[in-house]
Amino acid sequence: MTIAVAAVGPVRARARGTPRLHGVEACGREPTGRTVLGVQVRTEFSMPQGNEEHTGTRIADYRKLRQMTQTALAQRAFLSRGTLAKVEAGLSPATPTVVAAFARALHVEVAVLYGQPYISEMRQDHLDQLISPLSEALDLYDLGPDPAITPRPMARIKADVDALCAGACATEYKDVGTKLPGLVGELTTAIALLPTGEERRRASESLAWAYWVSYEFAYRLGYQHLASIALERMGWMAEQAQDPLLLAVRLAKRSSMLLRRGDNRMSLRIIERGHGLVEQADDRRSANALAVSGSLHLAAAIAASQAKNEDSVMGHLELANRVADEIGHDVPKAYWTSFGKTNVKHYEVASRVELGKLGDAMKEAKTLHFPAGHPKMRMGRYYMEMGRAYAQMGRTDAAHQALRTARKVAPQQARYHPLMRETIGTLVRRQRRASDSLSSMAAWVGI
């Protein structure tokens, strides 16, 4: 399977040297990096990236390369020129919806505008060396059994897969990335050796979940093409596992990737297909089936909020609330959806932030309390969203506190999330002199 990576042009030189460029070619210079699965997993040059570079400056770079004025780009993105000017200056958070709109108008990947992956920080955390082994593991899917691997009993393998799923939800990227390639290789060999039957079906289910973890790991660290490959592998294994709920979970993740690119219409179509798969489940009223269905409604609420369709948002939130009421309690491990009343309340806040109803979002936030054991992935994302909302409202101290909480709850997620980086950068650039605490946090994320 080969995925082409579009080449991009040069960006403006920075005071501290030529910035790293994303893509297979740039300025006719030879990139460094490694091609696995037909994908250049990282391209970079030796000079460091200037600390003053941010998403807004990258948007400005590509706008100028496309020979467009601010007014022309704003019109193509269906946003105001004022919004673009503030984002380019770094004085307003580059929200996911705004970045996706400009990326589509500029014909460039969202990850390029975000500057992902954040290689310098990954090197500090020793995460950069985990990408190639995972890429190679994903390439084993059709090579048959590895004679060097003797698979353990399936019960032990499944326990390790479950632990990795829990680790992904806890945003423990280093531990997950270290263990994942070996587990994918072991399961690939196990399935190749097993005859058709129930045990092979269960092994296929475990490998599908290992591919789900692969997606989460690659996606959260900014390797979008690798995440896409992992999702394709997950779908292939979920079909062999004969599990429509697994296929629906995959579609939910696929819709997230489309939403990141600003394609909310296609995202909603895929979510509708996911509901059709839930209808094929053996027990449509089981907690697992309900959790997957409810999660699809929450994903649809975010897609509708990005499309500024408030009626659709409220409709999907109401349906998700009904599903949560039917289950009766949070079920974070039900197909690893983190679904329940708590997550519905989180999405009620998040969707209002996306709709621009910040006052309403703050009112809803006052009624949200995370129970013990709630997935750190969800909690960390919530506090980053709140930090962004406070920043948009001009409440610098509250924004800073929310981002500090996000770092405390889920440090690895916060360090590599573009929303965290963009909001911190906005807070720094708005002040004549940033506080020591804010400066320290900015340095921690690589600003």
Side-chain angles (χ1 to χ4, degrees), residues 113-375:
L113 295 184
Y114 277 135
Q116 291 178 302
Y118 305 130
I119 285 293
S120 295
E121 289 67 47
M122 290 182 66
R123 283 177 176 161
Q124 293 171 17
D125 295 339
H126 305 292
L127 289 172
D128 60 307
Q129 58 193 302
L130 303 179
I131 299 301
S132 286
L134 177 59
S135 301
E136 293 165 358
L138 292 175
D139 205 20
L140 300 174
Y141 72 104
D142 62 348
L143 298 183
D146 185 337
I149 296 178
T150 301
R152 297 168 295 159
M154 276 310 305
R156 291 181 60 188
I157 297 177
K158 182 181 183 304
D160 284 350
V161 172
D162 289 344
L164 281 189
C165 289
C169 292
T171 71
E172 297 169 353
Y173 298 147
K174 187 173 182 179
D175 184 62
V176 166
T178 300
K179 297 175 180 176
L180 190 54
L183 196 54
V184 169
E186 183 178 16
L187 276 164
T188 302
T189 291
I191 290 171
L193 295 173
L194 285 170
T196 302
E198 180 59 22
E199 188 173 7
R200 193 175 196 275
R201 189 199 66 76
R202 290 199 301 269
S204 298
E205 181 180 350
S206 290
L207 183 52
W209 280 115
Y211 285 143
W212 175 82
V213 176
S214 300
Y215 159 83
E216 289 288 342
F217 177 78
Y219 184 79
R220 305 302 172 184
L221 292 179
Y223 289 87
Q224 305 303 311
H225 292 293
L226 198 60
S228 294
I229 291 169
L231 273 191
E232 289 302 313
R233 301 285 191 267
M234 180 184 177
W236 173 60
M237 270 296 113
E239 288 179 355
Q240 294 197 34
Q242 302 172 29
D243 188 340
L245 296 180
L246 256 177
L247 288 166
V249 169
R250 173 188 170 267
L251 288 183
K253 296 302 179 182
R254 185 180 167 195
S255 75
S256 295
M257 295 193 76
L258 286 166
L259 205 57
R260 177 184 167 95
R261 299 203 299 263
D263 195 345
N264 47 65
R265 184 174 301 178
M266 182 62 72
S267 178
L268 287 168
R269 285 183 60 189
I270 288 175
I271 290 169
E272 189 61 31
R273 170 62 181 150
H275 282 298
L277 288 168
V278 173
E279 291 298 309
Q280 298 176 27
D282 292 336
D283 183 359
R284 290 178 293 175
R285 309 323 299 174
S286 67
N288 284 335
L290 290 171
V292 173
S293 176
S295 294
L296 289 168
H297 282 303
L298 293 179
I302 295 298
S305 66
Q306 290 197 6
K308 308 304 179 186
N309 187 337
E310 186 173 357
D311 289 341
S312 181
V313 170
M314 296 306 154
H316 283 295
L317 289 175
E318 175 60 27
L319 291 170
N321 261 310
R322 292 179 187 177
V323 173
D325 286 340
E326 185 169 350
I327 296 175
H329 55 89
D330 289 352
V331 284
K333 294 183 180 180
Y335 276 67
W336 301 102
T337 59
S338 306
F339 187 73
K341 294 293 288 186
T342 304
N343 209 31
V344 173
K345 179 61 69 174
H346 173 184
Y347 274 72
E348 288 176 345
V349 175
S351 61
R352 285 170 171 80
V353 172
E354 286 294 335
L355 287 169
K357 295 181 173 296
L358 301 180
D360 292 344
M362 295 304 159
K363 291 178 182 178
E364 291 289 342
K366 292 179 180 179
T367 65
L368 174 57
H369 305 284
F370 292 112
H374 196 72

Side-chain angles (χ1 to χ4, degrees), residues 59 63 68-88 98 101-106:
I59 291 172
R63 173 177 60 78
M68 299 169 65
T69 64
Q70 286 186 335
T71 299
L73 176 56
Q75 289 175 346
R76 286 195 184 186
F78 301 101
L79 293 167
S80 71
R81 180 187 173 281
T83 295
L84 173 58
K86 289 178 181 178
V87 168
E88 286 190 351
V98 167
F102 289 134
R104 286 168 66 86
L106 291 167

Side-chain angles (χ1 to χ4, degrees), residues 51-63:
N51 284 348
E52 70 272 26
E53 184 171 307
H54 54 84
T55 298
T57 59
R58 296 186 197 99
I59 291 172
D61 288 338
Y62 281 96
R63 173 177 60 78

